[in-house]
Amino acid sequence: MFDIGSTELLLIAIVAIVVIGPKDLPRALYKVGQVVGKARGMARHFRTGIDAMIREAEMEELEKKWAAENERIMKQFPSADLADEPAKPLPAAASANASETGSPAAPAKDSSAA
């Protein structure tokens, strides 16, 4: 973040010792650490808030796309045709076979009728 070399850090330390004094330097460094910690905390809080706002905006955009796609599908395949016909359950053997292969199976032939 800050490009501070070792010589620049040494120069800052010497100036701090001369200006603040060796007696009050630990207390000053402690206060500087507290201020830096608070600044980092505020930056983290701000970044978290911005990220949450971005996520909410993306979710709203996705919900709009999903609603538009759902509307298109509902217009293409109206549910009125499906509501007239009751759903027919698959025979037990066919549903077990379909779950194993992942594809619908042909109805099982009854061997007892032969």
Side-chain angles (χ1 to χ4, degrees):
M1 188 166 137
F2 296 111
D3 192 24
I4 298 177
S6 59
T7 56
E8 294 166 340
L9 191 59
L10 180 64
L11 181 64
I12 291 171
I14 292 172
V15 169
I17 290 173
V18 169
V19 172
I20 298 173
K23 182 180 174 185
D24 295 328
L25 188 61
R27 191 176 330 146
L29 291 177
Y30 176 75
K31 291 293 183 183
V32 167
Q34 282 184 330
V35 169
V36 168
K38 286 182 182 180
R40 283 184 176 177
M42 288 184 348
R44 187 179 323 111
H45 182 71
F46 179 74
R47 188 178 311 130
T48 303
I50 294 295
D51 289 344
M53 288 180 2
I54 290 171
R55 275 193 301 271
E56 287 176 14
E58 287 175 350
M59 286 301 293
E60 288 175 4
E61 183 179 322
L62 284 175
E63 286 175 357
K64 287 178 184 177
K65 286 181 182 179
W66 289 339
E69 185 66 17
N70 189 29
E71 185 69 28
R72 183 191 66 80
I73 291 171
M74 293 305 287
K75 285 180 182 178
Q76 186 177 359
F77 303 103
S79 62
D81 296 339
L82 298 175
D84 295 339
E85 299 177 21
K88 296 178 185 177
L90 289 174
S95 63
N97 194 13
S99 64
E100 290 174 4
T101 61
S103 62
K109 294 182 182 178
D110 191 10
S111 60
S112 64

